[in-house]
Amino acid sequence: MEKAVLITIGDEILSGNTVDTNSNFIAAELKNIGIKVTQILTISDEIETIKNALNIAFETGDLVITTGGLGPTRDDKTKKALAEYFNDEIALDEVTFNHLKGYMERRGRADILERNREQAFVPTKSIVFQNHYGTAPCMMMEQNGKLCYSLPGVPYEVKPLIKDQIIPYLQQRFSLHYIHTRIVSVVGIPESILADKIEDWELALPENIALSYLPVGTRVKLRLTASGDNEEQLKQRTEEEIQKLLPLVEGHVIAVSEDKIENILAEMLTERNLTISTAESCTGGELAKMITSVSGSSKYFLGGMVAYATEKKIKILNVSRDTVDQFTVVSEQVAQEMAKGCQQLFETHISLSTTGVAGPGKGEDGKDIGTVFYTIRINDQEVTSKLYMPHLERVDFMDFVSQKVIQDLVSLLINS
């Protein structure tokens, strides 16, 4: 089993009202056990459409996983499509019904059991994987050695079904290769120039090690993915290749293990016993959100605030009104005073501040959309930078700036 196709069922995905996060998660989990996703299809909840998608999927994949389209009503089209495609019929499964009953009783919702009874009706040829976090079960169908899993669409139901049940089942049933992945994070080199610098090294990589370039803001993640039968040999060979790479990008590498920039920062702050705080305006709390998304962040993140209004910058962060009047609120000087006030307020080694115009309208001081100043203050030293990104929409702007601020902090800590 080497190739998989994912099918997302639901008009809400096609309309753009709901973002398909399931496919991203499932593809990553399958990749970790050596199964490559070759296609992702998004379709409407119609019987013929689902059957046609299954035909396409089984032409190219050994494994098909559908998400969405499962509901408590008798007109559930996904189950009907599965039954018709696999020449089967739908019937009540007592084991699934008893599981559903217990699920409802534990949550004090036994009164709506009958209304959800249809969830226990499944194709008779299916193997059921019980859903411990929802009412719709996962059904597995098999045809000519190829498998089809049909899952509900709610992400918090999909994740445990995939991680705790489907992945272990696939690993146990099939002889799958080991997959080992390492990330080398590079900053300060445009992707095209980086590719030229490491071209000879990349061309000399063993056949079982693949390289991917993954730009994130102004950082480039070089992902090495090795596959093979011996896990320890994969790890050793990947490490050897990384050691060959490092001299080619010397001075630009900020991490050789962790993937996310907030995880890289977490390691550095923990190792150095440093504390950090944030004072945000245009990023709207995104900096604090990223930093605290890491487990154990309470050891080093002491607090943060979103001082959106100018008066709050003055009153809480001790930004001088004269500074605002002279330089405007979106300025290098205000960013510096915000960082200093934040550091004093929370009594941290490090403080970060942002002030800018996320859009879609101009700032109150007339600064152009996409303008931002940010300050990184480490003890008594500070570095202030300016970015101008008028092409980014509001949410993308906030994310990009936050990524860049943390990335710059990591670079400063490495060189300090």
Side-chain angles (χ1 to χ4, degrees), residues 343-355:
Q343 186 182 48
Q344 293 173 344
L345 178 65
F346 292 103
E347 299 181 334
T348 55
H349 300 100
I350 301 168
S351 64
L352 310 174
S353 70
T354 63
T355 179

Side-chain angles (χ1 to χ4, degrees), residues 1 29-35 63 129 147 149 162-179 231:
M1 179 161 290
E29 291 297 314
L30 292 177
K31 178 199 70 178
N32 289 337
I33 61 171
I35 299 177
L63 171 66
F129 291 73
L147 302 181
Y149 287 92
I162 291 290
K163 294 186 72 169
D164 302 338
Q165 298 191 60
I166 294 175
I167 293 296
Y169 178 89
L170 294 173
Q171 287 178 307
Q172 184 177 8
R173 177 166 174 178
F174 300 97
S175 179
L176 301 173
H177 281 162
Y178 289 102
I179 301 293
E231 187 175 19

Side-chain angles (χ1 to χ4, degrees), residues 97-166:
F97 180 72
N98 288 332
H99 173 81
L100 179 63
K101 181 180 178 182
Y103 176 86
M104 292 291 192
E105 290 174 345
R106 286 192 298 274
R107 283 155 182 76
R109 302 306 306 274
D111 57 306
I112 62 171
L113 176 61
E114 286 304 315
R115 226 182 305 164
N116 285 267
R117 183 184 180 87
E118 295 298 326
Q119 298 280 40
F121 281 76
V122 300
T124 61
K125 295 179 182 177
S126 67
I127 295 176
V128 177
F129 291 73
Q130 302 298 345
N131 182 355
H132 300 293
Y133 299 91
T135 59
C138 169
M139 299 159 288
M140 186 189 81
M141 309 286 284
E142 184 169 354
Q143 178 175 275
N144 300 324
K146 297 185 176 183
L147 302 181
C148 174
Y149 287 92
S150 182
L151 285 75
V154 184
Y156 68 76
E157 297 177 27
V158 169
K159 290 181 178 181
L161 281 167
I162 291 290
K163 294 186 72 169
D164 302 338
Q165 298 191 60
I166 294 175

Side-chain angles (χ1 to χ4, degrees), residues 79-93:
K79 286 181 185 177
K80 289 182 179 179
L82 289 171
E84 290 183 19
Y85 185 85
F86 289 99
N87 192 26
D88 197 4
E89 60 184 25
I90 297 173
L92 177 67
D93 180 70

